[in-house]
Amino acid sequence: MRYGATIDGQTFEVDINRRGANIVEAQVGDRKYVLEARAVQPGLYWLNWENRSIEVVVTEKNDGCLVMLGGRQVRIELGDVRTAIRHGHQGQQGTVQVRAPMPGKVIRVLVKDGDSVQANQGIVVMEAMKMQNEIKSPKNGMVKKIGVTTGSAVNSGDLLAEVE
Amino acid sequence: MVPIFDKVLIANRGEIAVRIIRACREMGIPTAAVYSEADRGALHVRMADEAYAIGPAPAAESYLAIPKIIDTAVRAKARAVHPGYGFLSENAAFAQACADAGLVFIGPSASSMALMGSKVEARRAASKFGVPIVPGTLDPITDDKEAIRIAASIGYPIMLKASAGGGGKGLRFVRHDAELNSALRDARSEAKAAFGNDAVYVEKYVERPRHIEIQVLADHHGNAVYIGERECSIQRRHQKVIEECPSPIMTPELRSKMGEAALNVVRAAQYYNAGTVEFLVDQNRQFYFLEMNTRLQVEHPITELVTGLDLVKYQLRVAAGEKLDLRQDDIVMRGAAIECRVYAEDPANNFLPSPGRITAFRPPSGPGIRHDTGVYQGWTVPNDYDPLIAKLATWERTREESIERMRRALTEYQIAGIHTNISLFLEVLDDPDFRQAKFDTGFLDRWMQNRKDDQTFSGIERDIAIIAAALFQTETTSTTPAGGSKPIESPWKAQGRRNALRPS
């Protein structure tokens, strides 16, 4: 299976295929790997590559995943090869949807339709796990649409606002 | 052995409920757990001898519902109630309700709790017993003009604090007049929401202080000891993140001075139970009483590791009316312990909470490791409560070795399905200033501002990370994503399918 993997702003082509019990062949860019790979528990993998024993944890994170390796973590977005490469170059152009990163309740809406906002300016305040958190604008721009009102209960991924 | 209580009801959840069950079990005391709908199947529920449903997920209708908990304790024929920390642990009305129902409240009297629970009254009482306090108001601020006048008289910067507060809620730092009005409004509204009381007071801001707290233990017979200190200066937005015992700046002289001051607070409050007297220590090692926590503290395990004492068992014995079998000379501190608070939050995304299902879980173990948790593989961390999911503590002979042990433990810690702050600890532990113990309560917030959001991976490590991500993707989606528009499959369904396919 082929994907485009975007990591630290760079996109790599990755091709991954299973060969028999727990053997995986992978190609990242032009580098080829054959590894033993076992899902020890869902999301926790043990890999053996050329006798290097590696434990790695993968967790979903809005449209991508977070990979934890040796106590350090990195976010990786996987997609179709072409869209991933395009996306990698695109950045935060056009209208950006600000979505709820977790389930919770909207405590305050800090902006109005048509307001101009700076990157990292608060859009709404959400309460989850007993903490109030400001959900911030990902870019400089203008608020196009507000999807919630004070008191709204939201699920992870619900639209909070659009910033153009 | 006849147990000191016939049964103890634990009016809490999560890791602390588990911690209390363990102490009870070692003392032969049967336990009754309570749980909300969100905690059906929680670890503390599974581990207790008896488990009682007490209501819906919102804490106000379950873990904070005094009548339900009292009724349950009576119905379960419990003799005593342990409140843990948070929830009702510092609620004097609850302590009184227990007493009224003929239940032993495992904590101080309602009156000493009420005295120390009002930060303003606590400061007044401590001051009367010769304990140094930070300059500020001894009364809640009622109007904004008065606040401006007081701020001018003690000098900016100042802190606004919720009179009923704790845990960083209802707390605001104010640099000048212009910020005061909105800070007052925010502090009051947060205090009202968190504690049902919007009273706030003003205190001078001590520049670059350390937060050092003294553990105390006092019985009903007037005996009290201090059990060393904990250094809790590594905080993010006033929430403790890493704690150490002993404090790296402590000397025997300072320890005995602070210990005696803490015992004066105990006397001022006519306190019995385990408790914690918190101090700010400035750059010249002058210390000021901050507040007293009249309950078991989250970070109590590091004191237990260094002193070998089981504080929860002492709480139970004191509550049963036993005399302390410890004199001050018996308290010996040995080695160094450090604790990291593992939170379900995303350090790469403004620390937003990360509730959800834990798909993989392999906590560290081995020499010198203590891991207190209320979660397990397959457990769904609810959205309704505090994000603390585990406390990881290490012990070794010296601070340096304890830090190295913690680094080892953190790299061993595997958890998938939710985000945690584990990677952050490794970064902080490697910071040269942290290594040399050069820090104050503002250290972590300053450090965060200078930190890069994402860690960079290169070479083989980066390729391995990409391969793991791709493996994960092939398992969660069954076909190649066509333009990325394929709806994301339910992880429940995917898991069910994987389980069905797994050879038994």
Side-chain angles (χ1 to χ4, degrees):
Chain A
M1 244 179 267
R2 293 176 68 217
Y3 302 98
T6 307
I7 175 170
D8 291 333
Q10 272 183 286
T11 300
F12 298 86
E13 236 182 275
V14 50
D15 191 3
I16 190 156
N17 293 290
R18 291 184 179 277
R19 293 277 178 271
N22 302 313
I23 301 298
V24 166
E25 272 180 20
Q27 182 165 348
V28 182
D30 53 9
R31 296 173 297 282
K32 290 193 166 112
Y33 297 88
V34 179
L35 330 88
E36 185 178 348
R38 286 170 195 270
V40 183
Q41 293 173 15
L44 169 58
Y45 297 91
W46 173 71
L47 309 176
N48 187 344
W49 174 68
E50 295 189 350
N51 301 316
R52 277 176 67 172
S53 170
I54 303 157
E55 277 191 314
V56 51
V57 159
V58 189
T59 293
E60 270 183 46
K61 181 169 172 173
N62 31 340
D63 303 333
C65 57
L66 199 72
V67 177
M68 190 141 165
L69 184 57
R72 302 196 309 138
Q73 60 182 33
V74 68
R75 193 173 124 73
I76 298 179
E77 273 178 64
L78 282 184
D80 174 78
V81 177
R82 279 153 309 166
T83 40
I85 289 170
R86 221 183 308 131
H87 185 81
H89 293 297
Q90 192 181 28
Q92 304 274 22
Q93 298 291 309
T95 302
V96 176
Q97 297 184 324
V98 182
R99 295 185 173 275
M102 71 266 175
K105 191 174 149 193
V106 175
I107 300 294
R108 265 193 306 281
V109 179
L110 302 169
V111 294
K112 296 189 305 294
D113 216 341
D115 280 3
S116 63
V117 289
Q118 305 282 309
N120 281 325
Q121 185 181 333
I123 300 272
V124 303
V125 179
M126 273 183 71
E127 185 180 278
M129 301 187 98
K130 304 278 111 188
M131 299 294 285
Q132 295 190 2
N133 304 279
E134 251 184 37
I135 311 303
K136 297 173 187 335
S137 173
K139 60 177 244 173
N140 296 338
M142 187 192 276
V143 178
K144 280 278 287 177
K145 180 179 172 185
I146 295 182
V148 290
T149 54
T150 299
S152 302
V154 293
N155 276 315
S156 185
D158 283 1
L159 181 72
L160 301 176
E162 285 181 3
V163 178
E164 189 180 82
Chain B
M1 187 180 74
V2 180
I4 56 174
F5 291 115
D6 297 333
K7 191 181 293 170
V8 167
L9 179 129
I10 297 150
N12 214 303
R13 64 180 299 282
E15 68 85 16
I16 196 61
V18 170
R19 166 72 187 91
I20 296 161
I21 291 169
R22 288 183 168 138
C24 289
R25 192 148 292 160
E26 289 172 22
M27 297 174 86
I29 304 169
T31 53
V34 293
Y35 63 96
S36 74
E37 275 164 22
D39 275 339
R40 199 173 286 280
L43 189 62
H44 77 279
V45 178
R46 290 168 46 195
M47 283 179 63
D49 296 306
E50 298 171 19
Y52 296 84
I54 50 163
E61 297 167 63
S62 48
Y63 298 108
L64 291 172
I66 295 176
K68 283 185 190 172
I69 292 175
I70 298 286
D71 286 352
T72 305
V74 170
R75 183 156 61 97
K77 297 192 167 63
R79 268 298 294 139
V81 175
H82 197 306
Y85 56 69
F87 293 125
L88 296 170
S89 62
E90 291 180 284
N91 184 315
F94 181 60
Q96 192 56 52
C98 287
D100 294 345
L103 297 159
V104 175
F105 177 78
I106 300 167
S109 67
S111 62
S112 48
M113 190 191 289
L115 178 65
M116 290 293 119
S118 154
K119 305 307 171 204
V120 171
E121 291 307 316
R123 278 154 50 85
R124 204 193 302 278
S127 176
K128 218 179 278 176
F129 274 69
V131 178
I133 61 168
V134 178
T137 56
L138 284 169
D139 293 302
I141 300 289
T142 45
D143 83 328
D144 294 12
K145 282 197 191 110
E146 189 198 348
I148 289 174
R149 193 181 51 73
I150 290 162
S153 79
I154 62 171
Y156 285 103
I158 59 162
M159 292 296 283
L160 296 178
K161 298 188 169 187
S163 295
K169 296 193 178 67
L171 204 60
R172 285 294 181 282
F173 174 66
V174 189
R175 262 173 285 254
H176 40 73
D177 277 347
E179 293 178 350
L180 190 57
N181 281 333
S182 69
L184 270 170
R185 195 182 58 229
D186 290 355
R188 284 193 182 122
S189 109
E190 217 171 280
K192 180 86 183 163
F195 316 110
N197 176 350
D198 70 354
V200 297
Y201 65 97
V202 174
E203 225 175 56
K204 185 165 177 60
Y205 179 72
V206 180
E207 302 273 357
R208 301 206 162 195
R210 284 175 179 259
H211 174 124
I212 299 179
E213 57 188 31
I214 302 286
Q215 176 70 51
V216 295
L217 192 55
D219 66 16
H220 291 259
H221 311 281
N223 306 302
V225 291
Y226 58 89
I227 309 180
E229 75 286 355
R230 290 181 291 261
E231 164 81 59
C232 308
S233 300
I234 306 298
Q235 309 183 352
R236 197 181 70 79
R237 297 183 197 162
H238 308 289
Q239 281 270 20
K240 296 166 188 168
V241 177
I242 300 177
E243 299 102 345
E244 302 182 37
C245 177
S247 163
I249 65 152
M250 195 51 74
T251 61
E253 295 73 37
L254 183 59
R255 181 178 291 133
S256 70
K257 266 207 247 171
M258 290 179 71
E260 288 304 327
L263 292 183
N264 278 331
V265 177
V266 166
R267 287 176 200 118
Q270 300 186 310
Y271 190 82
Y272 49 78
N273 179 36
T276 296
V277 184
E278 298 189 333
F279 294 98
L280 285 182
V281 180
D282 71 14
Q283 299 289 303
N284 304 316
R285 297 191 189 187
Q286 294 297 309
F287 60 89
Y288 306 95
F289 170 67
L290 202 57
E291 61 182 51
M292 180 174 193
N293 293 320
T294 57
R295 53 166 163 84
L296 186 65
Q297 198 88 330
V298 175
E299 59 274 23
H300 75 277
I302 52 175
T303 297
E304 297 187 325
L305 287 171
V306 168
T307 61
L309 301 171
D310 187 315
L311 293 174
V312 178
K313 287 185 188 167
Y314 270 108
Q315 284 190 296
L316 290 158
R317 290 190 201 109
V318 164
E322 287 188 13
K323 274 191 182 155
L324 274 188
D325 59 0
L326 291 169
R327 284 162 308 151
Q328 195 58 52
D329 292 349
D330 297 329
I331 313 296
V332 180
M333 296 174 74
R334 186 171 152 267
I338 181 164
E339 176 182 90
C340 291
R341 294 193 187 190
V342 181
Y343 287 111
E345 63 185 17
D346 185 356
N349 189 9
N350 293 313
F351 291 89
L352 291 176
S354 178
R357 185 164 183 273
I358 295 172
T359 59
F361 192 54
R362 208 271 322 273
S365 59
I369 305 288
R370 172 167 172 176
H371 183 250
D372 286 76
T373 187
V375 306
Y376 54 88
Q377 185 199 355
W379 172 244
T380 298
V381 178
N383 188 26
D384 309 273
Y385 314 110
D386 190 274
L388 181 76
I389 54 165
K391 303 184 309 202
L392 175 61
T394 57
W395 181 91
E396 247 282 23
R397 292 177 305 174
T398 63
R399 180 173 190 266
E400 291 66 35
E401 288 168 300
S402 202
I403 291 172
E404 287 306 328
R405 180 162 276 173
M406 181 58 82
R407 292 186 79 263
R408 183 271 288 179
L410 289 165
T411 52
E412 224 173 89
Y413 209 134
Q414 308 290 7
I415 179 164
I418 59 169
H419 303 298
T420 72
N421 55 350
I422 288 171
S423 65
L424 181 82
F425 293 125
L426 282 163
E427 289 182 63
V428 175
L429 259 41
D430 284 344
D431 181 90
D433 285 339
F434 178 83
R435 284 291 174 131
Q436 294 172 48
K438 280 195 221 153
F439 47 65
D440 57 77
T441 54
F443 170 86
L444 192 57
D445 288 331
R446 288 194 302 274
W447 182 90
M448 292 295 309
Q449 282 177 351
N450 300 323
R451 164 181 180 266
K452 283 188 301 167
D453 235 17
D454 258 323
Q455 299 163 338
T456 44
F457 279 53
S458 57
I460 301 296
E461 201 183 25
R462 182 175 59 201
D463 286 356
I464 294 289
I466 290 170
I467 291 167
L471 270 173
F472 181 72
Q473 187 80 9
T474 60
E475 287 188 357
T476 39
T477 52
S478 43
T479 57
T480 311
S485 60
K486 189 178 177 297
I488 293 167
E489 188 186 25
S490 151
W492 290 100
K493 255 191 238 167
Q495 179 60 30
R497 193 167 304 130
R498 277 197 292 274
N499 287 345
L501 289 172
R502 188 173 297 152
S504 52

